[in-house]
């Protein structure tokens, strides 16, 4: 079965909205793990709009599954990652004004910087993943960069209208197949929710899906445990 990485950024978003001590991150981690999360994802952004350094430290200390740190390829973040030693690192593009990550990392244009970043992350001993658009050329470049994994950006599929959906789904499928054939670990995520995850969860080459916003939103009504179990069950049934 495809694994589920639960992204807890928006637990921190609610907390940072008022700078309250709640919702408590450790409770969120524990509930996520006991409800079936296979890993916990946190994105430490340059502007610290949600996840704080303290969250990452706490997560490293208490997570029993795997910690996936999403980060921009910057010197500051490399230093943090090498100190914290997450299990997985996913390199993502970051723009200050964006509401959320807007697309995959352009590893063609930023080849040298990404290459340098990967080299300087060796000390972390993490599996390095590159968040890329579902595009064979990008997959090949990820391999050239010696990344161990890729995360395919599912945002365009998630936002596509009914006529475009199949096109984007096929891009994800063919990129996943190509990547698996050249021995890359294939993950996927962004914009996945309870209505659109099934088709993606049927792609056998995918190892793990990283999902945040829809799970945290659903937890307002169901509670975090049930929201995660519901997502796990859809992925399992697919
Ligand atoms: N994967 C990556 C690389 C991301 O940047 C994000 C959003 O932080 C996600 C997955 C999760 O996306 P969503 O919150 O839309 O489920």
């Amino acid at each position: 079965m495809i694994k589920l990485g639960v992204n807890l950024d928006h637990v921190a978003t609610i907390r940072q909205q008022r700078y309250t001590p709640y919702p408590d991150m450790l409770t969120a981690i524990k509930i996520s793990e006991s409800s079936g999360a296979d890993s916990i994802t946190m994105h430490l952004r340059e502007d610290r709009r949600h996840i704080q350094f303290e969250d990452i430290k706490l997560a490293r200390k208490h997570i029993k599954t795997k910690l996936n740190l999403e980060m921009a390829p910057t010197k500051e973040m490399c230093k943090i990652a090498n100190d914290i030693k997450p299990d997985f690192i996913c390199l993502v593009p970051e723009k200050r004004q964006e509401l959320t990550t807007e697309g995959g990392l352009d590893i063609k244009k930023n080849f040298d910087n990404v290459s340098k970043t990967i080299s300087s992350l060796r000390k972390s001993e993490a599996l390095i993943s590159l968040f890329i658009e579902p595009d064979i050329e990008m997959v090949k470049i990820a391999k050239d960069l010696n990344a161990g994994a890729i995360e395919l950006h599912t945002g365009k599929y998630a936002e596509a209208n009914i006529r475009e959906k199949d096109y984007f789904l096929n891009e994800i499928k063919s990129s996943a197949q190509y990547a698996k054939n050249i021995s890359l670990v294939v993950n996927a995520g962004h914009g996945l929710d309870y209505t659109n995850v099934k088709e993606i969860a049927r792609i056998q080459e995918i190892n793990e899906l990283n999902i945040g916003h829809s799970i945290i939103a659903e937890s307002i009504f169901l509670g975090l445990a049930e929201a995660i179990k519901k997502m796990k069950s859809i992925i399992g049934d697919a």
Side-chain angles (χ1 to χ4, degrees), residues 1-12:
M1 180 175 148
I2 292 186
K3 290 186 232 161
L4 173 64
V6 176
N7 180 317
L8 294 178
D9 290 353
H10 297 311
V11 171

Side-chain angles (χ1 to χ4, degrees), residues 5-7 9-10 41-43 45 50 68 70-71 90-93 98-103 129-132 151-155 158 188-193 209-216 231:
V6 176
N7 180 317
D9 290 353
H10 297 311
T41 297
M42 292 183 171
H43 183 177
R45 294 186 70 106
H50 38 54
N68 177 30
E70 284 179 8
M71 54 173 260
C90 182
L91 295 181
V92 299
E98 68 191 357
L99 284 178
T100 179
T101 318
E102 279 172 354
S129 174
L130 302 177
F131 185 53
I132 56 171
E151 181 170 326
L152 296 171
H153 179 232
T154 51
H190 208 280
L192 297 177
D193 62 29
L209 297 176
N210 277 310
I211 308 181
H213 187 265
S214 60
I215 291 178
I216 303 305
M231 188 59 85

Side-chain angles (χ1 to χ4, degrees), residues 44-53 76-77 80:
L44 186 65
R45 294 186 70 106
E46 186 200 12
D47 61 12
R48 305 293 193 270
R49 67 174 72 161
H50 38 54
I51 294 293
Q52 306 295 303
F53 178 64
E76 183 212 5
M77 286 308 308
I80 292 173

Side-chain angles (χ1 to χ4, degrees), residues 221-233:
F221 304 114
L222 297 185
L224 184 56
E226 288 309 313
I228 292 171
K229 286 180 194 162
K230 182 174 165 185
M231 188 59 85
K232 284 281 284 189
S233 146

Side-chain angles (χ1 to χ4, degrees), residues 13-31:
T13 301
I14 295 171
R15 185 193 62 204
Q16 294 307 110
Q17 195 69 28
R18 293 276 186 95
Y19 301 108
T20 48
Y22 60 83
D24 178 57
M25 189 55 82
L26 184 54
T27 307
I29 290 170
K30 286 185 175 163
I31 291 175

